[in-house]
Amino acid sequence: MPDQQLENHAPNLPDQDISYGEASVLIVDDQEFVRRIVTVMAEKIGFGTIETCEDGEQAIELLPDMKPDLIICDINMKPMDGLTLLSKVRKDFTGKVRATPFIILTGEISTQLVTQASELGCDCFLLKPVAPQKLKERIDAIFKDDSVNTQEP
């Protein structure tokens, strides 16, 4: 897909009071198109480092070295789905990785799914397709309450 079409999915976002230039985000989704759209959104939000993975297993391999400030993840992926990744992040890692804010971005929603994700420690649950402004608002809310210092002095 040409970059201009991606730009249409992630229009310019309003000015922000939080700077993400020093922050990193890991985007995990099995669909390349979704990874590209969310990457463009993350760029427009201002994330300094953006990495992508196709599934939870790839993310698990990357997490110890990357230690992202935020994870945005799909649920339905193989071989490791998003809920399993979330569970492993919260149980198998320590320190910064364990505490990483986790946004689930999915095309399906049910009360059971939201409850399960919340019980595992999900910070935010968004339905695809997500509007760029909605994603930014949720990220801003997470970082305003987070101990990660992303605000400019």
Side-chain angles (χ1 to χ4, degrees):
M1 168 181 265
D3 289 340
Q4 184 56 42
Q5 287 181 306
L6 283 175
E7 290 288 325
N8 293 338
H9 289 280
N12 288 331
L13 297 169
D15 290 336
Q16 56 200 37
D17 59 348
I18 298 177
S19 171
Y20 296 104
E22 299 295 318
S24 59
V25 60
L26 175 60
I27 299 163
V28 188
D29 198 298
D30 58 342
Q31 296 179 342
E32 180 183 359
F33 178 73
V34 173
R35 286 193 310 273
R36 290 177 63 198
I37 289 174
V38 177
T39 295
V40 170
M41 289 181 191
E43 288 169 351
K44 294 206 179 238
I45 290 169
F47 280 92
T49 302
I50 302 167
E51 294 287 342
T52 63
C53 292
E54 294 179 14
D55 63 62
E57 285 186 353
Q58 287 183 356
I60 290 293
E61 290 176 20
L62 184 62
L63 282 170
D65 293 325
M66 183 185 182
K67 295 181 178 69
D69 296 303
L70 176 66
I71 298 170
I72 301 174
C73 185
D74 185 23
I75 287 184
N76 293 319
M77 302 176 291
K78 292 184 181 183
M80 184 188 294
D81 65 54
L83 291 178
T84 302
L85 173 60
L86 173 59
S87 177
K88 287 183 173 293
V89 165
R90 297 296 187 239
K91 293 177 183 173
D92 296 349
F93 287 89
T94 59
K96 180 180 177 183
V97 174
R98 176 180 279 176
T100 303
F102 203 105
I103 295 176
I104 289 183
L105 188 61
T106 186
E108 67 176 75
I109 193 166
S110 69
T111 304
Q112 179 183 1
L113 195 56
V114 173
T115 300
Q116 186 179 6
S118 295
E119 289 173 353
L120 290 171
C122 178
D123 295 276
C124 178
F125 200 97
L126 292 172
L127 190 60
K128 291 179 188 174
V130 65
Q133 184 60 33
K134 175 66 92 178
L135 180 62
K136 181 188 175 307
E137 288 170 2
R138 295 299 175 95
I139 291 170
D140 285 350
I142 288 169
F143 279 86
K144 282 180 182 174
D145 293 334
D146 197 351
S147 62
V148 175
N149 184 10
T150 58
Q151 295 191 6
E152 292 182 336

